[in-house]
Amino acid sequence: RSVYIFAKKNNIPFDYKKISLFEGYQYSEEFGKINLLRKAPAIKDGDFCLAESVAIMMYLAEKFHTADHWYPADLQKRARVNEYLSWQHSAIRIHGSKMFWFKLLIPKALGTEVPKEKMDNAVEDLNASLNLFEEKFLQDRPFIVGDQISLADLVAIVEIMQPVGAGMDVFENRPKLKAW
Amino acid sequence: MPLELYLDLHSQPCRSVFLFAKLNNIPFEYKTVDLSAGEQYGEEFGKVSMIRKVPVLKDGDFILTESIAILQYLVGKHRTPDHWYPADLQKRARVDEFLSWQHTNIRAHGSKVFWFRGVLPAVTGSPVPKEKMDAAVEELNTSLKIFEDKFLQTRGPFVVGDKISLADLVAIVEIMQPVGTGLDVFQGRPALSAWRDRVKKEIGVEVFDEAHKIIMNVDALPQTFENKGIPEFLKLKIQKMFN
């Protein structure tokens, strides 16, 4: 979603190759030629194939000379974006994804409820990440790196929306997060 | 005011930052953070970083966490040789691709095996249940296979061709983590071993060994806990791991 939004927002023309993860297309021989990591998103620019959304967006930002605020040239501002993009992998991303699986996919696909203790721990982990997000990455700034939106905000929002899709309103009782 | 680096060389990301600074002759003040004593949860360190992890960089008033961001910052600030983080769009993308992927793959699985083999038994006094251990090792093996098949490939001696980059540096410190606990991941993996030898040579055996001395002596941990006691955060973390 972050790659899609970034391309759309910056009018980067692309051929949308829709794939179905639930049908297992990522394990096909065809897709293996695009991305051996067997995950989405992936891009193909001529002969150049690239995986990993963070790498893809950095590549697009550079190649298409997108507006500076997305990935600032200023050393310290860029460092703040990089800091968030690094931190999020093992924090919001992982805990948000887990909630999506626990609240939606596992009950629906396997027909089993996740044990209460596991669920509670998962919710606790996500809340801890969201707290850190508000306390360290947002603080009282409008966006993560200051006055303007950057790759950091884009990646953050798509990840935070994941548990929302599973029915967990993470914005409830978080006015700062909601405003952001 | 000199650059400050807050480090504990038990930590893989601390090692990559340490090595990078050393290799590029970037002067810094080494600020030890003793993870096994829970120093990252202390009041002092809390003023440095509320995330309570290492490494942390302090450049005057500018405080930065996350080793990947720190490495990228040092590249930019000190204009290190191009091969570390190439200006070429596609080469740089390859480095970024690995640096992104590694978080939840080699890093996560290597760390888990390290905890299961090196830390948990030292704290609980008993080995991790076989099923859990086997699953963790299997995940690590899967990551290592992907690393060899996709990132090493036949492209060249290093992850991004002819020269060492941040990708190799981050990869090697992560792969060394389980090695410290006696799990020789290089055994039976000639391509990985050859790559490791090349990386070690580029880094310099002496400074490589210096960075890895602590992790290669991780069997000293039980004694450390016996002497200093087990910090509370560790007990809680381990409890959670077993869920």
Side-chain angles (χ1 to χ4, degrees):
Chain A
R1 293 197 292 273
S2 55
V3 171
Y4 175 83
I5 293 172
F6 187 72
K8 283 266 183 181
K9 188 73 188 150
N10 288 286
N11 299 310
I12 297 169
F14 66 94
D15 210 351
Y16 187 174
K17 300 291 211 182
K18 197 172 187 184
I19 70 168
S20 172
L21 295 177
F22 288 121
E23 284 172 26
Y25 179 75
Q26 67 275 34
Y27 298 109
S28 69
E29 200 181 312
E30 215 177 298
F31 189 72
K33 294 179 190 151
I34 304 290
N35 182 19
L36 261 180
L37 299 173
R38 301 197 172 280
K39 294 194 178 194
I43 64 165
K44 192 170 188 296
D45 192 2
D47 288 328
F48 182 66
C49 292
L50 186 66
E52 293 294 314
S53 65
V54 170
I56 290 169
M57 285 185 292
M58 289 174 174
Y59 174 81
L60 294 176
E62 186 63 39
K63 181 164 182 178
F64 291 93
H65 305 293
T66 53
D68 182 76
H69 64 82
W70 285 112
Y71 196 41
D74 174 77
L75 195 62
Q76 291 191 1
K77 281 189 182 160
R78 179 168 286 206
R80 286 274 166 255
V81 177
N82 287 332
E83 185 184 42
Y84 181 76
L85 294 179
S86 175
W87 175 82
Q88 59 90 27
H89 285 277
S90 313
I92 293 209
R93 172 155 174 65
I94 233 175
H95 301 138
S97 296
K98 203 174 210 179
M99 286 314 307
F100 183 74
W101 277 86
F102 278 17
K103 281 207 183 281
L104 190 75
L105 294 181
I106 289 173
K108 286 249 189 268
L110 302 178
T112 54
E113 294 299 313
V114 171
K116 188 181 186 304
E117 207 181 318
K118 271 197 186 290
M119 182 67 92
D120 289 347
N121 281 335
V123 173
E124 196 184 308
D125 285 341
L126 179 58
N127 281 330
S129 285
L130 291 171
N131 290 344
L132 261 178
F133 180 75
E134 286 186 305
E135 285 160 28
K136 159 157 173 99
F137 292 102
L138 263 192
Q139 292 179 23
D140 34 24
R141 293 183 289 272
F143 298 98
I144 292 171
V145 184
D147 288 333
Q148 293 183 282
I149 195 172
S150 71
L151 293 182
D153 304 278
L154 190 56
V155 168
I157 194 73
V158 300
E159 294 292 344
I160 291 170
M161 286 303 289
Q162 196 75 348
V164 175
M168 184 178 175
D169 187 5
V170 298
F171 301 107
E172 199 184 334
N173 298 323
R174 287 181 191 274
K176 189 191 263 189
L177 196 68
K178 200 170 190 174
W180 164 80
Chain B
M1 205 187 203
L3 187 72
E4 291 176 4
L5 292 177
Y6 291 78
L7 307 168
D8 178 330
L9 296 180
H10 280 103
S11 142
Q12 307 92 304
C14 286
R15 296 198 291 272
S16 58
V17 169
F18 173 80
L19 283 167
F20 188 73
K22 283 269 183 179
L23 288 170
N24 289 285
N25 299 310
I26 298 170
F28 66 93
E29 212 177 293
Y30 190 122
K31 306 286 249 180
T32 309
V33 180
D34 187 351
L35 297 179
S36 67
E39 206 180 323
Q40 69 276 35
Y41 293 106
E43 205 183 307
E44 268 304 301
F45 189 75
K47 294 176 194 158
V48 175
S49 170
M50 69 166 87
I51 298 196
R52 301 193 174 278
K53 292 193 177 190
V54 281
V56 181
L57 169 149
K58 192 169 188 288
D59 192 0
D61 290 327
F62 183 64
I63 293 178
L64 186 65
T65 66
E66 293 295 316
S67 66
I68 304 301
I70 292 171
L71 291 167
Q72 290 164 321
Y73 175 79
L74 291 175
V75 162
K77 181 155 190 200
H78 293 269
R79 300 187 211 278
T80 51
D82 182 73
H83 64 84
W84 285 112
Y85 197 41
D88 174 79
L89 193 61
Q90 291 190 3
K91 281 187 181 163
R92 178 168 288 204
R94 286 274 164 255
V95 178
D96 287 334
E97 189 184 46
F98 175 77
L99 294 180
S100 174
W101 175 82
Q102 58 89 28
H103 287 275
T104 50
N105 291 279
I106 290 204
R107 171 154 176 65
H109 303 140
S111 295
K112 199 174 207 176
V113 170
F114 168 75
W115 275 83
F116 279 13
R117 286 178 63 97
V119 184
L120 263 74
V123 174
T124 64
S126 19
V128 166
K130 191 182 185 303
E131 208 183 291
K132 274 199 182 282
M133 181 66 91
D134 288 348
V137 174
E138 196 186 311
E139 283 183 326
L140 176 60
N141 285 334
T142 304
S143 286
L144 289 172
K145 186 169 197 312
I146 294 175
F147 181 69
E148 280 186 307
D149 293 346
K150 175 194 158 69
F151 292 102
L152 279 189
Q153 262 199 38
T154 49
R155 267 201 208 105
F158 298 100
V159 172
V160 185
D162 288 337
K163 300 213 188 158
I164 194 173
S165 71
L166 294 181
D168 304 278
L169 192 60
V170 168
I172 195 71
V173 299
E174 293 294 343
I175 293 171
M176 285 300 289
Q177 196 76 352
V179 177
T181 65
L183 182 68
D184 187 2
V185 299
F186 298 107
Q187 197 180 83
R189 293 193 168 96
L192 196 70
S193 302
W195 164 81
R196 179 229 22 221
D197 291 341
R198 290 190 291 268
V199 172
K200 234 176 150 169
K201 188 168 176 226
E202 282 301 307
I203 288 174
V205 176
E206 230 175 85
V207 70
F208 180 88
D209 287 344
E210 186 192 345
H212 288 91
K213 190 172 177 198
I214 286 180
I215 206 69
M216 292 309 290
N217 288 304
V218 82
D219 48 13
L221 261 184
Q223 191 61 55
T224 304
F225 290 139
E226 211 177 290
N227 296 343
K228 297 201 269 180
I230 300 166
E232 199 56 41
F233 84 91
L234 203 49
K235 294 181 189 168
L236 291 169
K237 186 165 178 166
I238 284 165
Q239 236 170 47
K240 261 209 157 162
M241 269 189 172
F242 276 109
N243 284 334

